[in-house]
Amino acid sequence: MSEVVNKATLAKETTGVLASLTTGQKNEALLIMAEALRREAQAIIAANGEDLERGRLAGTPESMLDRLALDVGRINSIAEGLQQIAVLPDPVGDTLETINRPNGLSIEKIRVPLGVIGIIYEARPNVTVDAAGLCLKTGNAVVLRGGSSALSSNRKIVEVLHAALAQTAVPPGALQLIEDPNRSSVDEMLKLNGLLDVIIPRGGSSLIQNVVLNATVPVIETGAGICHTYLDASARPDMAEQISLNAKAQRPSVCNSMETLLVHRDYAVQYLPSLAESFRTASVELRGCAETVALVPWALPVTAEDYATEYNDYILNVRIVSGLDEALRHIAEFSTKHSECIVTEDTEHAACFLQEVDAAAVYHNASTRFTDGFEFGFGAEIGISTQKLHARGPMGLPALTSCKYKIYGSGQIRS
């Protein structure tokens, strides 16, 4: 039996116990897990140092190393995330609907765990803890397959969490980590029908497309973010600059950061050169259309391939458009349906944008960086779904549940 099958089997064996746990038992486990992470912070940082050293030797960009790096502050934040999950309402067991039929049947629709969730992700060890916390809070077992670049960090984190869970009512076997770094372990997970109930990929477009195209297990597609901000002719310059800089430079390595700035021609002529200087001050490389390069000579020429690229870096595409219609066409062609923004004082243009853009989150006069479970008031999130079935947008606790019907009768039979 392979490691993947063995660990998925062990996880599935815990689902009966998990489904019967009380909210109090799950919350106690989360708090003990948080305490353990803080207590073992130095051991986790040492393991993380091994990953960072391998990354530097392999020439990994600094923006990606930042996603991988852990320190005491970040570990405290991760632990605080578990505490926040503990105080969130537990959706499991909620009654969604009650139906009383003329024949006397009483039907209740209630929330239940999904079962065993497989999560495939890349170089962000915080996902290991977030995923474990969210899945366990909702009574789900979880099989994690992180990227090889974070293997030492993830192994140590799971070791710490297993030791913590051994002190609780939550079986440690409900949290499994696939340590095989070969792609074959991912491919095997994608076919584990009967052991995994759903797979959630978190990472770049190549990872997500591999999962979506090859999985036979149901998939919730998350993550890829080619996000746009459109500066309309009536955009207020101060607001437009603040939103644009925040969307690109506040943290460029995440999926809700902006990759392409669309600018109305009238706005560009007056304000784009000064906005470009602000981006240069923030160390952002600009790649622009011909009109952009004419206004900003230091910008590099942009290509169609650039428009289809999620950089996760200090690189920004800039395209000057004739107006809202052209902006909408560009977004329709290149968007990954994650987060899109219009900056405008024209309420009709804003309403049109919000209605017509097909994305999980659409913004008027606010940075796309707010597409986040915590910022939406969900506490933590398992990811940001860019599809339409089961869940869309930031996925909080309710998105990790399904439902079942309980039917109460008094001897009814169907004629």
Side-chain angles (χ1 to χ4, degrees), residues 37 40 59 72 78 88 121 130 147 170-171 180 214 226 244 252 257 269 287 292 297-298 313 316 328 340 362 396:
L37 289 172
E40 299 296 331
V72 171
I78 292 169
L88 291 171
Y121 56 107
D130 291 346
V170 176
D180 181 354
N214 295 300
I226 298 178
S244 300
S257 64
V269 169
R287 300 181 181 181
T292 297
W298 56 268
D313 204 347
L316 177 66
L328 291 173
E340 310 293 355
V362 286

Side-chain angles (χ1 to χ4, degrees), residues 150-204:
L151 182 57
S152 296
S153 305
N154 290 335
R155 185 186 288 131
K156 175 55 68 173
I157 288 169
V158 170
E159 177 186 318
V160 170
L161 297 182
H162 275 165
L165 289 174
Q167 308 170 47
T168 76
V170 176
L175 169 60
Q176 298 290 339
L177 175 70
I178 304 301
E179 298 185 24
D180 181 354
N182 296 310
R183 178 171 170 170
S184 59
S185 64
V186 172
D187 296 337
E188 193 173 2
M189 283 183 70
L190 303 184
K191 311 293 185 184
L192 286 188
N193 300 73
L195 289 176
L196 298 183
D197 292 283
V198 66
I199 287 178
I200 303 174
R202 291 190 57 170

